[in-house]
Amino acid sequence: MSLVRQKIWSHGLTGLARFLEEFFIDVTKPSRKLKFLRGLIYANYDYVVRFPKVKVFDFLSVYPAAKGREILMLLHRDERWSLSDLETLYLLALISMRQAPKIFEIGSAHGETSYAMARINQDTHIFSLDLPVDDTVAHQNKMRWKNTSQEQQITQLYGDSRTFDYSPYLGQMDIVLIDGDHSYLTCKSDSAKALKLINDKGIIIWDDYNALEVQRAVNELLPTENIFQLKGTGFAVLDRSLADLPSEIS
Ligand SMILES: C[S@@+](CC[C@H](N)C(=O)[O-])C[C@H]1O[C@@H](n2cnc3c(N)ncnc32)[C@H](O)[C@@H]1O
């Protein structure tokens, strides 16, 4: 079979698979089997080859002003949910440089990152959204920042990121961290919301960009948005304040 016929065959199957996948996600709760099927679908030719990939840059080549900056962070973290130490370091460096007053985090877990972000700058306020829980008080008591002096800097919000009413926060956020449900459709929806949440110098950070479904949602924005990955991390970043990105790719 010629290469062209192979491509037509792959795209045809992919188109059908994408239709079925989105149809099923809309009408059923994704079970483990469906997730497995979706994993197979994403590992195909279309997403690997057809969509452009983000460029990878070293943090200091994009943010040279961070060189020599002291960053206060705790190495003892909840490894099940949290960002890696390098990701936390870069995130805190960005907050420290911008003195970011307002941050929106989609996906709080136990508040490890909310707490770290609040500690780096006492003028920062964090709005952190997670799914509603049955026993809200018990859940809140497990939050890392509970009964600390950072508690007043964090507003815990509850709701599904796909349907949450973001209207009080639109256009105000200096940083939006997307770290909730990592499925393609939710990530795509969270990305659209994040683009409306940031101000004209704002930053969007997607965690787990290396996950195929997150990658697909982010890569689909590339024709209109300047997004790059930070070397050594799963962070994909869109920074409205950057006029240019460095020319060399690390
Ligand atoms: C990886 S954890 C977040 C970790 C946190 N950002 C940190 O660094 O400590 C993902 C969180 O997203 C939440 N989540 C999953 N789907 C969500 C949705 N649709 N809306 C809001 N939160 C969601 C989960 O309950 C979970 O607590």
Side-chain angles (χ1 to χ4, degrees):
M1 195 188 289
S2 74
L3 187 61
V4 172
R5 286 185 64 192
Q6 273 180 21
K7 282 186 179 178
I8 291 169
W9 180 238
S10 304
H11 281 300
L13 278 184
T14 302
L16 177 65
R18 189 182 292 178
F19 168 79
L20 289 173
E21 167 240 338
E22 292 185 0
F23 176 76
F24 278 121
I25 289 173
D26 280 346
V27 298
T28 69
K29 289 199 166 183
S31 65
R32 288 179 78 95
K33 273 186 190 168
L34 263 178
K35 281 194 171 171
F36 176 69
L37 179 65
R38 279 161 42 202
L40 282 181
I41 293 168
Y42 296 134
N44 68 28
Y45 171 89
D46 195 12
Y47 309 123
V48 174
V49 175
R50 198 157 67 93
F51 285 107
K53 295 266 189 309
V54 300
K55 292 176 180 173
V56 182
F57 292 107
D58 182 72
F59 183 79
L60 286 177
S61 72
V62 184
Y63 300 106
K67 195 168 182 184
R69 191 168 274 267
E70 276 187 349
I71 303 296
L72 171 75
M73 64 181 274
L74 299 170
L75 290 177
H76 175 67
R77 300 169 58 77
D78 182 345
E79 290 172 4
R80 287 167 304 162
W81 294 105
S82 292
L83 310 179
S84 73
D85 284 335
L86 189 60
E87 288 165 348
T88 305
L89 180 70
Y90 289 163
L91 174 63
L92 298 188
L94 283 174
I95 297 169
S96 150
M97 282 191 296
R98 305 288 169 109
Q99 294 294 297
K102 282 189 182 173
I103 298 173
F104 201 105
E105 180 186 34
I106 298 178
S108 327
H110 296 126
E112 285 284 349
T113 298
S114 304
Y115 181 54
M117 293 191 292
R119 279 168 57 92
I120 198 71
N121 176 4
Q122 62 182 15
D123 296 325
T124 294
H125 197 92
I126 294 130
F127 302 88
S128 190
L129 174 68
D130 209 292
L131 293 168
V133 280
D134 293 341
D135 188 350
T136 307
V137 175
H139 181 77
Q140 280 216 17
N141 284 336
K142 284 190 217 153
M143 298 313 271
R144 181 67 181 83
W145 40 262
K146 204 73 191 162
N147 302 320
T148 70
S149 48
Q150 277 68 43
E151 192 166 349
Q152 300 307 315
Q153 290 172 253
I154 299 167
T155 302
Q156 185 64 52
L157 303 168
Y158 290 99
D160 186 321
S161 66
R162 289 165 299 188
T163 52
F164 183 75
D165 176 12
Y166 293 91
S167 51
Y169 313 98
L170 297 181
Q172 294 180 36
M173 295 299 140
D174 298 280
I175 297 178
V176 176
L177 174 62
I178 301 180
D179 190 19
D181 177 2
H182 293 65
S183 71
Y184 164 69
L185 286 179
T186 305
C187 195
K188 191 174 160 125
S189 161
D190 291 350
S191 306
K193 308 287 172 33
L195 285 166
K196 292 183 181 162
L197 283 170
I198 51 170
N199 59 32
D200 59 357
K201 297 253 186 275
I203 301 176
I204 301 176
I205 299 172
W206 290 263
D207 186 35
D208 294 308
Y209 173 72
N210 293 327
L212 226 45
E213 297 194 39
V214 175
Q215 207 169 99
R216 178 183 163 198
V218 174
N219 289 357
E220 284 181 4
L221 297 171
L222 284 175
T224 51
E225 303 293 349
N226 208 356
I227 302 170
F228 57 95
Q229 185 172 11
L230 286 176
K231 190 175 175 183
T233 76
F235 277 179
V237 180
L238 177 142
D239 187 341
R240 290 256 190 262
S241 74
L242 290 174
D244 289 307
L245 287 171
S247 52
E248 78 275 17
I249 303 165
S250 9

